[in-house]
Amino acid sequence: MRHTPHMHGPRFGRPGGWQQADIPDASDAAEWFSGRLPDDWFTGPAAIEVDREEIVVVGELPPPEDTGAAAVDGRIARFRESTRPDRMRIADEAEARYGRKVAWGVTLGDRRVLFTHLAVPVMTRLRQPERKVLDTLVDAGVARSRSDALAWCIKLVGTHSEQWLAELREAMRKVDDLRAEGPQV
């Protein structure tokens, strides 16, 4: 079974297939990080999100006594600086194990901050009507470029169709489970 119910956060993309033929299996990444992360870093288990290129580790920090914006910024900066050598060492181990880059982030109250993470180029072909949508977003100042406009559109679609996407991912997992139960060739 490729997906385990105790993985934190949604799993994106389709496991298996030619796209991941040379990528090590990362279905146990949440368990590995759970055992590898220091117990005193976060208030609970870190959320682990895995795709083909990257593993994103996000943990919740304990709130400072002063909950003002400057205090929150200071707590996040302190965590980032004080844990950097350990995070780099853990990332190196995970990258060797899973063949993916590791990105780090934290949540504190309603703030979510990702430190360094990948922005992976994705090639697409669009016809004129789709390009006009992107160009309208650029011309209106919503986005700086077609690339930013496309990212904005994807976020919008994800926000308004998360339930449908979750159902689709679950259906894909069921197909993968059935495929795994069949004869291995």
Side-chain angles (χ1 to χ4, degrees), residues 111-168:
R111 294 257 328 262
R112 183 175 195 258
V113 177
L114 288 180
F115 302 151
T116 304
H117 54 99
L118 295 178
V120 178
V122 177
M123 174 72 128
T124 185
R125 296 182 192 278
L126 300 175
R127 299 202 187 287
Q128 188 179 39
E130 291 88 11
R131 293 191 312 267
K132 283 183 175 181
V133 170
L134 299 181
D135 291 341
T136 299
L137 293 171
V138 172
D139 294 343
V142 173
R144 294 182 312 237
S145 65
R146 283 180 170 175
S147 177
D148 285 343
L150 185 56
W152 184 87
C153 290
I154 290 169
K155 287 178 187 173
L156 184 66
V157 168
T159 300
H160 293 290
S161 61
E162 189 55 43
Q163 180 181 354
W164 181 82
L165 290 171
E167 290 174 12
L168 181 61

Short mmCIF file of all heavy atoms in Angstrom, two decimals, residues 111-168:
data_model
loop_
_atom_site.label_atom_id
_atom_site.label_comp_id
_atom_site.label_asym_id
_atom_site.label_seq_id
_atom_site.Cartn_x
_atom_site.Cartn_y
_atom_site.Cartn_z
N ARG A 111 -0.13 32.44 11.31
CA ARG A 111 0.97 32.67 10.36
C ARG A 111 1.57 31.33 9.93
O ARG A 111 1.78 30.45 10.75
CB ARG A 111 2.10 33.49 11.00
CG ARG A 111 1.75 34.90 11.35
CD ARG A 111 2.28 35.96 10.41
NE ARG A 111 3.51 35.75 9.74
CZ ARG A 111 4.69 36.23 10.11
NH1 ARG A 111 4.82 36.94 11.20
NH2 ARG A 111 5.76 36.01 9.38
N ARG A 112 1.86 31.24 8.65
CA ARG A 112 2.58 30.07 8.10
C ARG A 112 3.74 30.65 7.29
O ARG A 112 3.52 31.43 6.37
CB ARG A 112 1.69 29.24 7.19
CG ARG A 112 2.38 27.99 6.66
CD ARG A 112 1.40 27.14 5.87
NE ARG A 112 1.88 25.81 5.63
CZ ARG A 112 2.41 25.39 4.49
NH1 ARG A 112 2.51 26.22 3.47
NH2 ARG A 112 2.82 24.15 4.35
N VAL A 113 4.97 30.26 7.66
CA VAL A 113 6.16 30.77 7.00
C VAL A 113 6.97 29.59 6.49
O VAL A 113 7.34 28.71 7.26
CB VAL A 113 7.02 31.61 7.96
CG1 VAL A 113 8.29 32.09 7.28
CG2 VAL A 113 6.23 32.79 8.51
N LEU A 114 7.22 29.57 5.17
CA LEU A 114 8.13 28.58 4.59
C LEU A 114 9.47 29.25 4.44
O LEU A 114 9.56 30.39 3.98
CB LEU A 114 7.63 28.10 3.23
CG LEU A 114 6.41 27.20 3.25
CD1 LEU A 114 6.02 26.81 1.83
CD2 LEU A 114 6.65 25.96 4.08
N PHE A 115 10.52 28.55 4.83
CA PHE A 115 11.86 29.10 4.72
C PHE A 115 12.27 28.97 3.25
O PHE A 115 11.68 29.61 2.40
CB PHE A 115 12.81 28.41 5.68
CG PHE A 115 12.36 28.51 7.13
CD1 PHE A 115 12.67 27.54 8.05
CD2 PHE A 115 11.61 29.59 7.57
CE1 PHE A 115 12.26 27.63 9.36
CE2 PHE A 115 11.19 29.70 8.89
CZ PHE A 115 11.52 28.70 9.78
N THR A 116 13.21 28.14 2.90
CA THR A 116 13.60 27.97 1.52
C THR A 116 12.84 26.78 0.94
O THR A 116 12.83 25.71 1.54
CB THR A 116 15.12 27.70 1.43
OG1 THR A 116 15.78 28.78 2.07
CG2 THR A 116 15.57 27.60 0.00
N HIS A 117 12.20 26.98 -0.20
CA HIS A 117 11.49 25.88 -0.83
C HIS A 117 11.57 26.03 -2.34
O HIS A 117 11.91 27.09 -2.85
CB HIS A 117 10.04 25.77 -0.35
CG HIS A 117 9.26 27.04 -0.49
ND1 HIS A 117 8.42 27.27 -1.54
CD2 HIS A 117 9.22 28.16 0.26
CE1 HIS A 117 7.89 28.46 -1.43
NE2 HIS A 117 8.35 29.03 -0.34
N LEU A 118 11.27 24.95 -3.03
CA LEU A 118 11.43 24.92 -4.48
C LEU A 118 10.29 25.62 -5.21
O LEU A 118 9.15 25.60 -4.76
CB LEU A 118 11.46 23.46 -4.98
CG LEU A 118 12.62 22.59 -4.53
CD1 LEU A 118 12.45 21.17 -5.08
CD2 LEU A 118 13.94 23.17 -4.99
N ALA A 119 10.61 26.21 -6.32
CA ALA A 119 9.64 26.66 -7.31
C ALA A 119 10.03 25.94 -8.59
O ALA A 119 11.00 26.30 -9.24
CB ALA A 119 9.69 28.18 -7.48
N VAL A 120 9.30 24.90 -8.91
CA VAL A 120 9.66 24.00 -10.01
C VAL A 120 8.98 24.46 -11.29
O VAL A 120 7.76 24.65 -11.31
CB VAL A 120 9.25 22.55 -9.66
CG1 VAL A 120 9.56 21.61 -10.81
CG2 VAL A 120 9.93 22.10 -8.38
N PRO A 121 9.74 24.65 -12.37
CA PRO A 121 9.10 25.03 -13.63
C PRO A 121 8.26 23.88 -14.18
O PRO A 121 8.64 22.72 -14.07
CB PRO A 121 10.29 25.34 -14.56
CG PRO A 121 11.43 24.61 -13.96
CD PRO A 121 11.19 24.51 -12.49
N VAL A 122 7.12 24.23 -14.74
CA VAL A 122 6.23 23.25 -15.33
C VAL A 122 5.88 23.72 -16.73
O VAL A 122 5.41 24.83 -16.92
CB VAL A 122 4.94 23.10 -14.49
CG1 VAL A 122 3.99 22.12 -15.14
CG2 VAL A 122 5.27 22.66 -13.07
N MET A 123 6.13 22.89 -17.70
CA MET A 123 5.87 23.24 -19.10
C MET A 123 4.40 22.99 -19.40
O MET A 123 3.85 21.97 -19.01
CB MET A 123 6.74 22.37 -20.02
CG MET A 123 6.44 22.55 -21.45
SD MET A 123 7.02 24.13 -22.00
CE MET A 123 7.95 23.64 -23.40
N THR A 124 3.77 23.92 -20.08
CA THR A 124 2.38 23.74 -20.49
C THR A 124 2.16 24.43 -21.83
O THR A 124 2.87 25.37 -22.18
CB THR A 124 1.41 24.29 -19.43
OG1 THR A 124 0.08 23.98 -19.82
CG2 THR A 124 1.55 25.79 -19.25
N ARG A 125 1.19 23.94 -22.57
CA ARG A 125 0.80 24.56 -23.83
C ARG A 125 -0.61 25.09 -23.65
O ARG A 125 -1.52 24.36 -23.27
CB ARG A 125 0.84 23.55 -24.97
CG ARG A 125 2.23 23.03 -25.23
CD ARG A 125 2.21 22.05 -26.41
NE ARG A 125 3.45 21.33 -26.50
CZ ARG A 125 4.56 21.81 -27.07
NH1 ARG A 125 4.56 23.02 -27.58
NH2 ARG A 125 5.65 21.08 -27.13
N LEU A 126 -0.79 26.37 -23.94
CA LEU A 126 -2.10 26.98 -23.78
C LEU A 126 -2.56 27.57 -25.11
O LEU A 126 -1.78 28.16 -25.85
CB LEU A 126 -2.03 28.10 -22.73
CG LEU A 126 -1.62 27.69 -21.33
CD1 LEU A 126 -1.50 28.93 -20.45
CD2 LEU A 126 -2.61 26.71 -20.75
N ARG A 127 -3.83 27.42 -25.37
CA ARG A 127 -4.43 28.04 -26.55
C ARG A 127 -4.74 29.50 -26.23
O ARG A 127 -4.65 29.95 -25.09
CB ARG A 127 -5.68 27.27 -26.94
CG ARG A 127 -5.36 25.81 -27.29
CD ARG A 127 -6.45 25.21 -28.16
NE ARG A 127 -6.27 23.79 -28.36
CZ ARG A 127 -5.35 23.22 -29.14
NH1 ARG A 127 -4.48 23.97 -29.76
NH2 ARG A 127 -5.29 21.93 -29.27
N GLN A 128 -5.12 30.25 -27.24
CA GLN A 128 -5.32 31.68 -27.08
C GLN A 128 -6.33 32.04 -25.98
O GLN A 128 -6.06 32.96 -25.19
CB GLN A 128 -5.74 32.32 -28.40
CG GLN A 128 -5.76 33.84 -28.31
CD GLN A 128 -6.15 34.48 -29.62
OE1 GLN A 128 -7.02 33.99 -30.32
NE2 GLN A 128 -5.49 35.59 -29.92
N PRO A 129 -7.47 31.36 -25.84
CA PRO A 129 -8.40 31.75 -24.77
C PRO A 129 -7.77 31.66 -23.36
O PRO A 129 -7.99 32.53 -22.52
CB PRO A 129 -9.56 30.77 -24.92
CG PRO A 129 -9.51 30.34 -26.35
CD PRO A 129 -8.04 30.33 -26.71
N GLU A 130 -6.98 30.61 -23.14
CA GLU A 130 -6.32 30.47 -21.84
C GLU A 130 -5.23 31.53 -21.66
O GLU A 130 -5.05 32.07 -20.57
CB GLU A 130 -5.72 29.06 -21.69
CG GLU A 130 -6.77 27.96 -21.56
CD GLU A 130 -7.22 27.42 -22.92
OE1 GLU A 130 -6.58 27.72 -23.95
OE2 GLU A 130 -8.23 26.68 -22.93
N ARG A 131 -4.50 31.83 -22.73
CA ARG A 131 -3.47 32.87 -22.64
C ARG A 131 -4.10 34.23 -22.35
O ARG A 131 -3.54 35.04 -21.61
CB ARG A 131 -2.64 32.92 -23.92
CG ARG A 131 -1.78 31.68 -24.14
CD ARG A 131 -0.76 31.86 -25.26
NE ARG A 131 -1.30 32.41 -26.49
CZ ARG A 131 -1.75 31.69 -27.53
NH1 ARG A 131 -1.73 30.36 -27.47
NH2 ARG A 131 -2.19 32.27 -28.62
N LYS A 132 -5.29 34.48 -22.93
CA LYS A 132 -5.97 35.74 -22.69
C LYS A 132 -6.34 35.89 -21.20
O LYS A 132 -6.28 36.98 -20.65
CB LYS A 132 -7.23 35.86 -23.55
CG LYS A 132 -6.94 36.22 -25.00
CD LYS A 132 -8.24 36.37 -25.76
CE LYS A 132 -8.00 36.83 -27.18
NZ LYS A 132 -9.28 37.01 -27.92
N VAL A 133 -6.74 34.79 -20.59
CA VAL A 133 -7.04 34.83 -19.15
C VAL A 133 -5.80 35.25 -18.37
O VAL A 133 -5.84 36.15 -17.52
CB VAL A 133 -7.57 33.47 -18.65
CG1 VAL A 133 -7.65 33.43 -17.13
CG2 VAL A 133 -8.92 33.15 -19.26
N LEU A 134 -4.67 34.61 -18.66
CA LEU A 134 -3.43 34.94 -17.96
C LEU A 134 -3.02 36.39 -18.23
O LEU A 134 -2.62 37.11 -17.32
CB LEU A 134 -2.32 33.98 -18.38
CG LEU A 134 -2.54 32.50 -18.06
CD1 LEU A 134 -1.34 31.69 -18.51
CD2 LEU A 134 -2.84 32.27 -16.60
N ASP A 135 -3.14 36.82 -19.50
CA ASP A 135 -2.75 38.18 -19.85
C ASP A 135 -3.65 39.21 -19.16
O ASP A 135 -3.19 40.28 -18.77
CB ASP A 135 -2.76 38.37 -21.36
CG ASP A 135 -1.65 37.58 -22.04
OD1 ASP A 135 -0.67 37.21 -21.35
OD2 ASP A 135 -1.75 37.34 -23.26
N THR A 136 -4.92 38.90 -19.00
CA THR A 136 -5.83 39.80 -18.29
C THR A 136 -5.39 39.96 -16.84
O THR A 136 -5.38 41.07 -16.30
CB THR A 136 -7.27 39.28 -18.36
OG1 THR A 136 -7.67 39.21 -19.73
CG2 THR A 136 -8.22 40.19 -17.58
N LEU A 137 -5.01 38.88 -16.21
CA LEU A 137 -4.53 38.95 -14.82
C LEU A 137 -3.25 39.77 -14.72
O LEU A 137 -3.07 40.53 -13.78
CB LEU A 137 -4.32 37.54 -14.26
CG LEU A 137 -5.60 36.72 -14.08
CD1 LEU A 137 -5.25 35.27 -13.72
CD2 LEU A 137 -6.50 37.33 -13.03
N VAL A 138 -2.37 39.63 -15.71
CA VAL A 138 -1.14 40.42 -15.73
C VAL A 138 -1.46 41.89 -15.97
O VAL A 138 -0.99 42.77 -15.24
CB VAL A 138 -0.14 39.88 -16.79
CG1 VAL A 138 1.04 40.82 -16.94
CG2 VAL A 138 0.32 38.47 -16.42
N ASP A 139 -2.29 42.17 -16.97
CA ASP A 139 -2.64 43.55 -17.30
C ASP A 139 -3.35 44.26 -16.15
O ASP A 139 -3.19 45.46 -15.96
CB ASP A 139 -3.51 43.61 -18.56
CG ASP A 139 -2.76 43.15 -19.81
OD1 ASP A 139 -1.50 43.11 -19.77
OD2 ASP A 139 -3.43 42.83 -20.81
N ALA A 140 -4.13 43.50 -15.37
CA ALA A 140 -4.87 44.08 -14.24
C ALA A 140 -3.99 44.25 -13.01
O ALA A 140 -4.44 44.80 -12.01
CB ALA A 140 -6.08 43.22 -13.92
N GLY A 141 -2.77 43.74 -13.05
CA GLY A 141 -1.88 43.87 -11.91
C GLY A 141 -2.09 42.80 -10.85
O GLY A 141 -1.51 42.88 -9.75
N VAL A 142 -2.90 41.81 -11.14
CA VAL A 142 -3.11 40.70 -10.19
C VAL A 142 -1.86 39.84 -10.11
O VAL A 142 -1.52 39.31 -9.06
CB VAL A 142 -4.33 39.85 -10.61
CG1 VAL A 142 -4.47 38.61 -9.75
CG2 VAL A 142 -5.60 40.70 -10.54
N ALA A 143 -1.16 39.73 -11.24
CA ALA A 143 0.05 38.91 -11.32
C ALA A 143 1.12 39.68 -12.10
O ALA A 143 0.80 40.52 -12.93
CB ALA A 143 -0.25 37.58 -12.01
N ARG A 144 2.38 39.35 -11.81
CA ARG A 144 3.50 40.03 -12.48
C ARG A 144 3.81 39.43 -13.85
O ARG A 144 4.40 40.08 -14.70
CB ARG A 144 4.76 39.93 -11.62
CG ARG A 144 4.67 40.68 -10.32
CD ARG A 144 5.97 40.55 -9.57
NE ARG A 144 6.40 39.16 -9.53
CZ ARG A 144 6.65 38.49 -8.42
NH1 ARG A 144 6.57 39.08 -7.26
NH2 ARG A 144 7.03 37.24 -8.47
N SER A 145 3.45 38.17 -14.04
CA SER A 145 3.81 37.48 -15.27
C SER A 145 2.77 36.39 -15.54
O SER A 145 1.93 36.09 -14.68
CB SER A 145 5.18 36.83 -15.13
OG SER A 145 5.14 35.82 -14.14
N ARG A 146 2.85 35.80 -16.72
CA ARG A 146 1.96 34.67 -17.02
C ARG A 146 2.19 33.53 -16.03
O ARG A 146 1.25 32.85 -15.62
CB ARG A 146 2.19 34.18 -18.45
CG ARG A 146 1.56 35.03 -19.51
CD ARG A 146 1.84 34.46 -20.88
NE ARG A 146 1.05 35.14 -21.91
CZ ARG A 146 1.18 34.89 -23.20
NH1 ARG A 146 2.04 33.96 -23.62
NH2 ARG A 146 0.44 35.53 -24.08
N SER A 147 3.44 33.31 -15.67
CA SER A 147 3.76 32.26 -14.71
C SER A 147 3.07 32.51 -13.37
O SER A 147 2.46 31.61 -12.80
CB SER A 147 5.28 32.17 -14.53
OG SER A 147 5.60 31.21 -13.57
N ASP A 148 3.17 33.74 -12.87
CA ASP A 148 2.49 34.09 -11.62
C ASP A 148 0.98 33.98 -11.76
O ASP A 148 0.28 33.56 -10.83
CB ASP A 148 2.86 35.51 -11.18
CG ASP A 148 4.26 35.61 -10.61
OD1 ASP A 148 4.84 34.56 -10.25
OD2 ASP A 148 4.76 36.74 -10.51
N ALA A 149 0.45 34.39 -12.93
CA ALA A 149 -0.99 34.31 -13.16
C ALA A 149 -1.46 32.86 -13.14
O ALA A 149 -2.52 32.55 -12.58
CB ALA A 149 -1.34 34.98 -14.50
N LEU A 150 -0.69 31.97 -13.75
CA LEU A 150 -1.06 30.56 -13.75
C LEU A 150 -1.04 30.00 -12.34
O LEU A 150 -1.95 29.26 -11.93
CB LEU A 150 -0.13 29.76 -14.68
CG LEU A 150 -0.48 28.29 -14.87
CD1 LEU A 150 -1.91 28.13 -15.38
CD2 LEU A 150 0.51 27.65 -15.83
N ALA A 151 -0.02 30.35 -11.55
CA ALA A 151 0.04 29.91 -10.15
C ALA A 151 -1.17 30.43 -9.38
O ALA A 151 -1.76 29.71 -8.56
CB ALA A 151 1.34 30.37 -9.50
N TRP A 152 -1.56 31.69 -9.63
CA TRP A 152 -2.72 32.28 -8.97
C TRP A 152 -3.98 31.49 -9.33
O TRP A 152 -4.81 31.19 -8.45
CB TRP A 152 -2.84 33.74 -9.41
CG TRP A 152 -3.92 34.51 -8.73
CD1 TRP A 152 -3.85 35.18 -7.55
CD2 TRP A 152 -5.26 34.69 -9.21
NE1 TRP A 152 -5.06 35.78 -7.26
CE2 TRP A 152 -5.94 35.49 -8.27
CE3 TRP A 152 -5.94 34.26 -10.34
CZ2 TRP A 152 -7.27 35.86 -8.42
CZ3 TRP A 152 -7.28 34.63 -10.49
CH2 TRP A 152 -7.92 35.41 -9.54
N CYS A 153 -4.14 31.14 -10.61
CA CYS A 153 -5.30 30.37 -11.05
C CYS A 153 -5.36 29.00 -10.37
O CYS A 153 -6.43 28.55 -9.95
CB CYS A 153 -5.29 30.20 -12.56
SG CYS A 153 -5.59 31.71 -13.49
N ILE A 154 -4.21 28.36 -10.26
CA ILE A 154 -4.16 27.04 -9.64
C ILE A 154 -4.56 27.13 -8.17
O ILE A 154 -5.31 26.30 -7.66
CB ILE A 154 -2.78 26.40 -9.82
CG1 ILE A 154 -2.58 26.04 -11.29
CG2 ILE A 154 -2.60 25.18 -8.92
CD1 ILE A 154 -1.17 25.64 -11.65
N LYS A 155 -4.07 28.16 -7.47
CA LYS A 155 -4.47 28.35 -6.07
C LYS A 155 -5.96 28.59 -5.95
O LYS A 155 -6.62 28.06 -5.06
CB LYS A 155 -3.70 29.52 -5.46
CG LYS A 155 -2.26 29.22 -5.19
CD LYS A 155 -1.54 30.43 -4.63
CE LYS A 155 -0.05 30.18 -4.54
NZ LYS A 155 0.68 31.38 -4.16
N LEU A 156 -6.51 29.38 -6.85
CA LEU A 156 -7.94 29.66 -6.83
C LEU A 156 -8.76 28.39 -7.06
O LEU A 156 -9.72 28.13 -6.33
CB LEU A 156 -8.28 30.71 -7.90
CG LEU A 156 -9.73 31.19 -7.95
CD1 LEU A 156 -10.08 31.95 -6.67
CD2 LEU A 156 -9.95 32.07 -9.17
N VAL A 157 -8.37 27.61 -8.04
CA VAL A 157 -9.07 26.35 -8.31
C VAL A 157 -8.96 25.43 -7.10
O VAL A 157 -9.95 24.82 -6.67
CB VAL A 157 -8.52 25.67 -9.58
CG1 VAL A 157 -9.04 24.24 -9.70
CG2 VAL A 157 -8.88 26.48 -10.81
N GLY A 158 -7.76 25.33 -6.53
CA GLY A 158 -7.57 24.47 -5.36
C GLY A 158 -8.43 24.89 -4.19
O GLY A 158 -9.01 24.06 -3.48
N THR A 159 -8.57 26.19 -3.99
CA THR A 159 -9.39 26.71 -2.89
C THR A 159 -10.85 26.36 -3.07
O THR A 159 -11.54 25.99 -2.12
CB THR A 159 -9.23 28.25 -2.80
OG1 THR A 159 -7.87 28.55 -2.56
CG2 THR A 159 -10.09 28.82 -1.69
N HIS A 160 -11.33 26.47 -4.30
CA HIS A 160 -12.75 26.28 -4.54
C HIS A 160 -13.14 24.85 -4.90
O HIS A 160 -14.32 24.56 -5.06
CB HIS A 160 -13.22 27.23 -5.65
CG HIS A 160 -13.16 28.66 -5.23
ND1 HIS A 160 -14.01 29.19 -4.29
CD2 HIS A 160 -12.32 29.65 -5.56
CE1 HIS A 160 -13.72 30.45 -4.08
NE2 HIS A 160 -12.68 30.76 -4.84
N SER A 161 -12.19 23.97 -5.02
CA SER A 161 -12.54 22.60 -5.40
C SER A 161 -11.79 21.57 -4.55
O SER A 161 -11.60 20.45 -4.99
CB SER A 161 -12.23 22.39 -6.88
OG SER A 161 -10.85 22.58 -7.10
N GLU A 162 -11.39 21.94 -3.35
CA GLU A 162 -10.59 21.03 -2.52
C GLU A 162 -11.32 19.72 -2.24
O GLU A 162 -10.71 18.66 -2.25
CB GLU A 162 -10.19 21.71 -1.21
CG GLU A 162 -9.19 20.92 -0.41
CD GLU A 162 -7.91 20.56 -1.19
OE1 GLU A 162 -7.38 21.41 -1.91
OE2 GLU A 162 -7.46 19.40 -1.07
N GLN A 163 -12.62 19.76 -2.01
CA GLN A 163 -13.36 18.53 -1.75
C GLN A 163 -13.32 17.62 -2.98
O GLN A 163 -13.07 16.42 -2.86
CB GLN A 163 -14.81 18.83 -1.38
CG GLN A 163 -15.61 17.56 -1.10
CD GLN A 163 -17.05 17.84 -0.75
OE1 GLN A 163 -17.45 18.98 -0.60
NE2 GLN A 163 -17.83 16.79 -0.62
N TRP A 164 -13.53 18.18 -4.16
CA TRP A 164 -13.49 17.38 -5.38
C TRP A 164 -12.10 16.80 -5.59
O TRP A 164 -11.94 15.63 -5.94
CB TRP A 164 -13.92 18.23 -6.58
CG TRP A 164 -13.90 17.45 -7.86
CD1 TRP A 164 -14.87 16.62 -8.32
CD2 TRP A 164 -12.84 17.42 -8.82
NE1 TRP A 164 -14.47 16.08 -9.53
CE2 TRP A 164 -13.24 16.54 -9.86
CE3 TRP A 164 -11.60 18.04 -8.91
CZ2 TRP A 164 -12.44 16.29 -10.97
CZ3 TRP A 164 -10.81 17.78 -10.02
CH2 TRP A 164 -11.24 16.91 -11.03
N LEU A 165 -11.04 17.61 -5.38
CA LEU A 165 -9.67 17.12 -5.54
C LEU A 165 -9.37 16.03 -4.53
O LEU A 165 -8.70 15.05 -4.85
CB LEU A 165 -8.68 18.28 -5.40
CG LEU A 165 -8.67 19.28 -6.55
CD1 LEU A 165 -7.80 20.48 -6.20
CD2 LEU A 165 -8.21 18.64 -7.84
N ALA A 166 -9.86 16.17 -3.29
CA ALA A 166 -9.64 15.13 -2.28
C ALA A 166 -10.30 13.82 -2.70
O ALA A 166 -9.73 12.74 -2.53
CB ALA A 166 -10.18 15.60 -0.92
N GLU A 167 -11.52 13.90 -3.24
CA GLU A 167 -12.21 12.70 -3.72
C GLU A 167 -11.45 12.07 -4.89
O GLU A 167 -11.34 10.85 -4.98
CB GLU A 167 -13.64 13.04 -4.13
CG GLU A 167 -14.54 13.38 -2.95
CD GLU A 167 -15.93 13.85 -3.38
OE1 GLU A 167 -16.29 13.69 -4.58
OE2 GLU A 167 -16.64 14.37 -2.52
N LEU A 168 -10.93 12.89 -5.77
CA LEU A 168 -10.16 12.39 -6.91
C LEU A 168 -8.90 11.69 -6.43
O LEU A 168 -8.56 10.60 -6.90
CB LEU A 168 -9.81 13.54 -7.86
CG LEU A 168 -9.02 13.16 -9.11
CD1 LEU A 168 -9.81 12.18 -9.97
CD2 LEU A 168 -8.69 14.42 -9.90
#
